[in-house]
Amino acid sequence: MAHVLLFGRLADVAGWRERAFDPAPATLFALKSLIADGDAGLAAALDAPGVRAAVDRTLISGDAALTDGAEVAFLPPMSGG
Amino acid sequence: MAHVLLFGRLADVAGWRERAFDPAPATLFALKSLIADGDAGLAAALDAPGVRAAVDRTLISGDAALTDGAEVAFLPPMSGG
Amino acid sequence: MIRLTDQPFDPGAELTRFCQGRNRTGAVASFVGLARGDDGEAAVLELEAYPGFTQGEVGKMAAAAAARFDLHEVTIIHRIGAIGVGDAIVLVLTAAAHRREAFDACDFLMDYLKSRAPLWKKEHGPEGSRWVEPTARDMADVQRWE
Amino acid sequence: MIRLTDQPFDPGAELTRFCQGRNRTGAVASFVGLARGDDGEAAVLELEAYPGFTQGEVGKMAAAAAARFDLHEVTIIHRIGAIGVGDAIVLVLTAAAHRREAFDACDFLMDYLKSRAPLWKKEHGPEGSRWVEPTARDMADVQRWE
């Protein structure tokens, strides 16, 4: 199982903020395909410039292997302050 | 009469902060010579780099005519904050 | 001290506390970001954080600033949730021996918060809502430090 | 608002007031200069002003900063007389629409106060007293703005 969190505009595009994918795909990229499956808008939003992913609360560059129970967050461009 | 004010280290060097010179000399430079008359330490302090003069609360560059009753302040390098 | 809060806070009360009991500190710089808008508007901003992640990331930035600018102390308070007109959104406080370090650290932390902190800001305006993303200026600002 | 005072003041209380009732202001920057020294020392600093002149000169600097950086408001409070360890010597508060202007105006005003405001600072240390003059760094800092 992979626990997926969407933030900011990604949650608005997807229509959800939090969802479990069971079983967990083997990699981050495979999970991303699965999340966006059949939703071209969400696929584009996840691939937009500046979107980052965090696996178990660590920022990831590129792909990564996923273990069962992983928390995967997709983070659009950040803007605090 | 010219009313003279010394600030900061100039007052320490002169040993006074405020003094009247009567009659007032005709110019700022003449007043400066009169103030430092016989006191080489004060003459040097008044001519040190960064020392400014204000006549009637207006900063002066170079010499200036003095009118009777003028307030003349000598201002060493400034440092607030 | 790093604090994320969904409640209004008073930047002045924090500054008073921050300045107290110091003798080595010659300089305290601060920045307060306020929510702009028209009087009488309800929430003009919504700030979303990633619980369990955002606070630690902001803490890493603060630690980086403390090391780089030789700070005596740093405090960051950031609102999350709904924010009304005139409310403080963010407060950054930096203490250092001299003014250049305190100013630069405060400036640096604001640039980082604007474009690198895991926070997402939604503006509610007369024409609807939009997610704010860092501007070209924000991206250029943060690159000054790299 | 420009204020010279021989009494201690609370920078936080001033910041609280300064932030209140704003809706166009997105950014408030501040700087507090504190008197460094060893605990238990009596006055560590003495600040001399030129009554009837200093306040006006500082006011001119504040007006120049307000025009140059498009400020909504500026406040400068400066202690004069004897100052104890840990006391606030100076507070500069700047309000603007955006952070760059607020930061730059605050920085600019501190640079001016350090080397161009008619104030004279005497430090009382273990080896006696000395009049402080702007350092080479202070002179370089103020030249950034010219």
Side-chain angles (χ1 to χ4, degrees):
Chain A
M1 199 265 287
H3 191 69
V4 174
L5 305 172
L6 302 182
F7 290 90
R9 62 186 304 274
L10 297 177
D12 286 0
V13 172
W16 52 270
R17 313 188 77 73
E18 220 177 315
R19 198 156 142 185
F21 287 81
D22 198 3
T27 67
L28 182 60
F29 284 2
L31 176 64
K32 199 152 77 165
S33 303
L34 185 65
I35 290 171
D37 188 36
D39 184 341
L42 183 54
L46 287 169
D47 280 329
V51 173
R52 312 280 313 263
V55 174
D56 292 326
R57 303 182 181 181
T58 297
L59 288 169
I60 298 295
S61 294
D63 202 1
L66 297 182
T67 53
D68 188 47
E71 177 177 287
V72 181
F74 292 95
L75 314 173
M78 301 166 182
S79 74
Chain B
M1 197 264 287
H3 191 70
V4 174
L5 305 172
L6 301 182
F7 289 91
R9 63 186 303 275
L10 297 177
D12 286 1
V13 172
W16 51 271
R17 315 186 75 73
E18 220 175 316
R19 198 156 143 186
F21 288 82
D22 198 4
T27 67
L28 182 60
F29 284 1
L31 175 65
K32 199 152 75 165
S33 303
L34 186 66
I35 291 172
D37 189 35
D39 183 342
L42 182 55
L46 286 170
D47 280 330
V51 173
R52 311 282 311 264
V55 175
D56 292 327
R57 303 182 182 181
T58 298
L59 289 168
I60 298 293
S61 294
D63 202 1
L66 297 182
T67 53
D68 187 49
E71 176 177 290
V72 181
F74 292 95
L75 315 173
M78 303 168 181
S79 73
Chain C
M1 187 259 283
I2 311 297
R3 185 151 61 97
L4 302 180
T5 175
D6 59 3
Q7 297 298 314
F9 67 95
D10 175 6
E14 303 297 334
L15 178 61
T16 297
R17 247 195 298 280
F18 193 79
C19 287
Q20 270 161 7
R22 299 194 172 275
N23 53 22
R24 291 191 313 123
T25 298
V28 169
S30 86
F31 181 85
V32 183
L34 297 171
R36 286 178 296 157
D38 294 317
D39 286 324
E41 273 185 271
V44 283
L45 281 181
E46 243 177 280
L47 257 298
E48 187 182 4
Y50 178 177
F53 179 69
T54 302
Q55 174 133 356
E57 292 295 305
V58 174
K60 282 183 208 166
M61 286 176 196
R68 176 169 179 167
F69 300 102
D70 205 11
L71 299 182
H72 299 168
E73 193 176 343
V74 55
T75 282
I76 299 174
I77 301 178
H78 208 296
R79 278 284 293 279
I80 53 176
I83 296 172
V85 175
D87 277 12
I89 306 164
V90 61
L91 170 69
V92 174
L93 295 168
T94 56
H98 301 288
R99 73 185 185 288
R100 180 60 26 227
E101 289 69 29
F103 268 132
D104 283 352
C106 197
D107 198 358
F108 168 92
L109 283 168
M110 279 308 305
D111 283 347
Y112 269 79
L113 286 166
K114 281 281 176 183
S115 57
R116 302 282 167 89
L119 290 160
W120 298 276
K121 189 180 347 190
K122 200 173 198 172
E123 274 181 7
H124 301 295
E127 284 133 50
S129 297
R130 68 175 196 101
W131 289 97
V132 179
E133 299 199 351
T135 61
R137 178 66 190 268
D138 289 330
M139 299 310 282
D141 281 346
V142 78
Q143 278 160 17
R144 293 185 297 155
W145 309 102
E146 283 163 5
Chain D
M1 190 259 282
I2 311 297
R3 185 151 62 97
L4 302 179
T5 175
D6 60 2
Q7 297 299 314
F9 68 93
D10 175 6
E14 302 298 333
L15 179 61
T16 297
R17 248 194 298 280
F18 194 79
C19 287
Q20 269 161 7
R22 299 195 171 277
N23 52 25
R24 291 192 313 124
T25 296
V28 170
S30 86
F31 181 85
V32 183
L34 298 171
R36 286 177 296 157
D38 294 318
D39 285 325
E41 272 184 273
V44 284
L45 280 182
E46 242 177 281
L47 257 296
E48 188 182 5
Y50 179 177
F53 180 68
T54 302
Q55 174 134 355
E57 292 296 304
V58 174
K60 283 183 208 166
M61 288 175 194
R68 177 169 179 169
F69 300 102
D70 205 10
L71 299 181
H72 299 167
E73 195 176 340
V74 55
T75 283
I76 299 174
I77 300 177
H78 208 297
R79 278 285 291 279
I80 53 177
I83 297 173
V85 175
D87 276 12
I89 306 164
V90 61
L91 169 69
V92 175
L93 294 168
T94 56
H98 301 288
R99 75 186 182 288
R100 180 57 30 223
E101 289 70 28
F103 268 132
D104 284 352
C106 197
D107 198 357
F108 167 93
L109 283 168
M110 280 308 305
D111 283 347
Y112 269 78
L113 286 167
K114 281 279 173 185
S115 57
R116 303 282 168 89
L119 290 160
W120 297 276
K121 188 179 348 190
K122 199 174 200 172
E123 275 180 6
H124 301 294
E127 285 133 49
S129 296
R130 69 174 196 101
W131 289 99
V132 179
E133 298 199 351
T135 62
R137 177 67 190 269
D138 288 330
M139 300 308 283
D141 280 347
V142 77
Q143 277 159 18
R144 295 184 298 154
W145 307 103
E146 283 163 4

